[in-house]
Amino acid sequence: MNVSVVLFTSDLRLHDHPPLRAANDAREVVPLFVRDTGVDAAGFAAPNRLAFLADCLRDLDAGLRERGGRLVLRSGDLVEEVCKVVAEADADEVHMAADVSAYAHRREQRLRRALEAEGRRLHIHDTVTTAVAPGGVTPAGSDHFAVFTPYFRQWSAQPLREAFGAPRSVRVPEGIGSEELPSRDGLSGLSEGLAEGGETVARKRVTAWLRSGVQAYEDRHDDLPGDATSRFSPHLHFGTLSPVELVHRARRAGGPGAEAFVRQLAWRDFHRQVLAARQDAATADYRTKHDRWRSERTAGEEIEAWKEGRTGYPVVDAAMRQLRHEGWMHNRGRLLTASFLTKTLYVDWRVGARYFLDLLVDGDVANNQLNWQWMAGTGTDSRPNRVLNPVTQAKRYDPDGAYVRRWIPELGAVEGPSVHEPWKLRGLDRAAVDGYPDPIVDLSEGLARFKRARGKD
């Protein structure tokens, strides 16, 4: 019987897994995950993601064992470790999911060359981590869409492949050694409220949310205190959920909420097709505005205040404290904190993107970097000079101040929307918030500085 290797990367699930389905057809299979030291060396091995990854790998192994298989874990250079396993198993092919980052493409090319030199084959599968492949829709005269709305129209018209069930059995050849599976126990620097990972948890969350949460999504996805988003982003990042299956299930649920949710999945695919076509957008401006950003040297104290949630603007600080506590942040909070750093403080978007990647359990190069560029006005936003006013936004999306009071105990005694402008309090009310800082910058001054920098004054 021939043997195939399935190389899991950011697709840590059994349901709707095209590489596993293809490899498992009348074959023995080695389900393999390589802890790639190249990823660690690049600084992407953040504690929160390592903990979530450990959960995912343990859950994946448990699911495989229920089907007669097991997960093989190795650490080192991914190409070298895959080739070792291929030789040990005498496998003739490797199946894996497509990816979009420059690092992933280089790694794929190295692996293909190494396998072909040994007479083996590498099969790359699309629509494993996206609903529509990055090159699945393109405009006339270009290799990718630079604007979301026309992309979404074509994306929505694409027929999706069917979603597959999990395999009933997985046959793993004997004698393939594995390292011990990691555990989040013993990891330091974790966010206290970090969520649990794994496909089992993810699928339970999907079922519950589609039953009781998606209907209100269109109206409430920006509701900061209501916390009405799906919170699927960590599971999409690690691939414990299939975007294809999610689109199918949401469309079956139907209604405006489901349609709004599907649109968010399309945004995720949109960013991937941008990064696939412009891989330097992970570190360089997609559309430069020739900004002379303030640096960590010139704006160090303000950057630290932003990171620590003590800018004096409660909604910004609440969101940053949520990030530190959970390793996750509400999407509206991400927009507000990014606007504040890049537009109000006029600090390089890469500073914020790097800090988010240090903490976010869903820290994803395509979504993180391109959302930061969108907010900084160097990305795909058609209104690159928009500035979100944190006070106006707070009153709109946290009208009673419940979100702010949840994350900023210093302001717990301030009732109602006045919590969004504590510097305006007087007398005993002001004394009650002693310890919470005054604003580090006047909004009008920050806006004027930004307009001058962009030549819009």
Side-chain angles (χ1 to χ4, degrees):
M1 180 177 289
N2 292 330
V3 179
S4 294
V5 172
V6 175
L7 178 60
F8 289 88
T9 52
S10 55
D11 49 352
L12 304 178
R13 64 180 185 270
L14 296 178
H15 289 79
D16 194 38
H17 197 284
L20 180 59
R21 180 183 175 89
N24 201 43
D25 187 16
R27 288 171 171 268
E28 287 189 320
V29 176
V30 181
L32 172 66
F33 182 85
V34 177
R35 173 74 187 274
D36 187 353
T37 49
V39 173
D40 294 359
F44 288 99
N48 284 338
R49 290 195 294 281
L50 289 179
F52 201 90
L53 171 64
D55 295 345
C56 294
L57 294 176
R58 285 178 171 270
D59 187 72
L60 179 60
D61 180 65
L64 287 165
R65 289 183 183 275
E66 290 174 0
R67 294 161 173 81
R70 63 188 174 93
L71 182 65
V72 173
L73 177 68
R74 299 291 177 90
S75 297
D77 176 80
L78 181 136
V79 174
E80 292 178 4
E81 294 303 320
V82 171
C83 289
K84 288 178 185 177
V85 171
V86 165
E88 291 171 23
D90 193 22
D92 57 355
E93 59 185 26
V94 175
H95 293 261
M96 68 181 295
D99 204 347
V100 297
S101 72
Y103 179 81
H105 281 187
R106 291 194 301 270
R107 188 173 66 178
E108 176 189 316
Q109 291 166 1
R110 288 176 54 225
L111 180 58
R112 187 181 299 280
R113 289 194 298 267
L115 290 173
E116 288 178 349
E118 299 296 327
R120 325 284 187 175
R121 297 185 300 275
L122 176 64
H123 300 278
I124 303 297
H125 297 260
D126 287 324
T127 65
V128 181
T129 62
T130 60
V132 174
V137 292
T138 55
S142 179
D143 56 358
H144 74 290
F145 279 93
V147 179
F148 175 73
T149 299
Y151 171 81
F152 182 55
R153 282 197 295 267
Q154 287 204 29
W155 183 95
S156 299
Q158 293 301 300
L160 300 187
R161 63 168 177 81
E162 63 175 306
F164 312 122
R168 293 182 178 180
S169 64
V170 178
R171 296 179 296 278
V172 179
E174 298 293 331
I176 309 300
S178 175
E179 299 172 9
E180 183 179 351
L181 293 174
S183 168
R184 68 165 62 192
D185 297 339
L187 285 172
S188 60
L190 300 183
S191 293
E192 184 179 342
L194 183 66
E196 181 182 0
E199 183 181 17
T200 301
V201 171
R203 295 188 70 80
K204 288 180 180 178
R205 184 171 187 88
V206 170
T207 299
W209 192 73
L210 288 176
R211 184 169 54 239
S212 61
V214 71
Q215 293 86 354
Y217 183 77
E218 182 184 36
D219 296 327
R220 299 189 59 210
H221 69 275
D222 278 322
D223 177 2
L224 283 165
D227 196 14
T229 65
S230 70
R231 287 186 177 247
F232 294 161
S233 58
H235 294 287
L236 285 164
H237 174 64
F238 284 93
T240 56
L241 291 176
S242 157
V244 169
E245 185 181 6
L246 281 179
V247 173
H248 281 308
R249 293 182 68 176
R251 284 175 172 169
R252 284 198 298 269
E259 293 172 7
F261 173 67
V262 168
R263 185 180 177 89
Q264 292 304 310
L265 293 173
W267 265 108
R268 186 174 178 275
D269 280 8
F270 172 74
H271 287 146
R272 275 161 173 69
Q273 60 95 39
V274 171
L275 188 61
R278 298 290 183 269
Q279 292 178 349
D280 65 345
T283 55
D285 290 350
Y286 177 75
R287 290 173 174 155
T288 184
K289 301 300 177 185
H290 304 289
D291 289 291
R292 296 184 178 181
W293 300 107
R294 300 171 71 217
S295 68
E296 291 177 280
R297 180 179 60 82
T298 57
E301 290 186 7
E302 291 165 309
I303 293 169
E304 286 306 306
W306 176 82
K307 290 179 178 180
E308 295 171 7
R310 50 180 185 82
T311 67
Y313 290 96
V315 73
V316 172
D317 295 341
M320 294 303 293
R321 294 186 193 191
Q322 181 182 27
L323 172 62
R324 182 171 290 190
H325 180 80
E326 295 187 355
W328 184 88
M329 187 193 293
H330 192 288
N331 183 61
R332 177 54 51 175
R334 299 187 197 208
L335 296 176
L336 292 175
T337 55
S339 175
F340 188 84
L341 185 72
T342 59
K343 302 288 182 60
T344 304
L345 296 182
Y346 197 56
V347 168
D348 193 329
W349 64 266
R350 282 158 283 246
V351 173
R354 177 69 260 174
Y355 185 68
F356 270 34
L357 284 178
D358 286 344
L359 288 174
L360 282 174
V361 67
D362 60 22
D364 175 287
V365 171
N367 271 348
N368 187 66
Q369 309 302 86
L370 290 171
N371 272 317
W372 268 96
Q373 290 225 46
W374 191 90
M375 204 62 254
T378 62
T380 61
D381 187 8
S382 59
R383 294 171 53 199
N385 298 312
R386 79 173 78 204
V387 179
L388 299 183
N389 182 304
V391 176
T392 302
Q393 292 273 308
K395 291 178 178 179
R396 180 179 304 164
Y397 298 114
D398 184 25
D400 188 52
Y403 177 76
V404 162
R405 283 187 289 273
R406 182 183 306 160
W407 294 108
I408 306 181
E410 304 98 297
L411 300 177
V414 182
E415 298 180 357
S418 59
V419 74
H420 297 308
E421 299 173 284
W423 59 88
K424 291 186 176 181
L425 297 173
R426 295 291 181 267
L428 293 177
D429 290 334
R430 185 69 180 97
V433 300
D434 186 39
Y436 184 73
D438 288 328
I440 59 174
V441 62
D442 182 88
L443 294 180
S444 61
E445 292 176 3
L447 179 60
R449 174 173 54 196
F450 174 70
K451 287 183 174 180
R452 286 196 303 273
R454 288 279 171 94
K456 301 296 180 182
D457 55 352

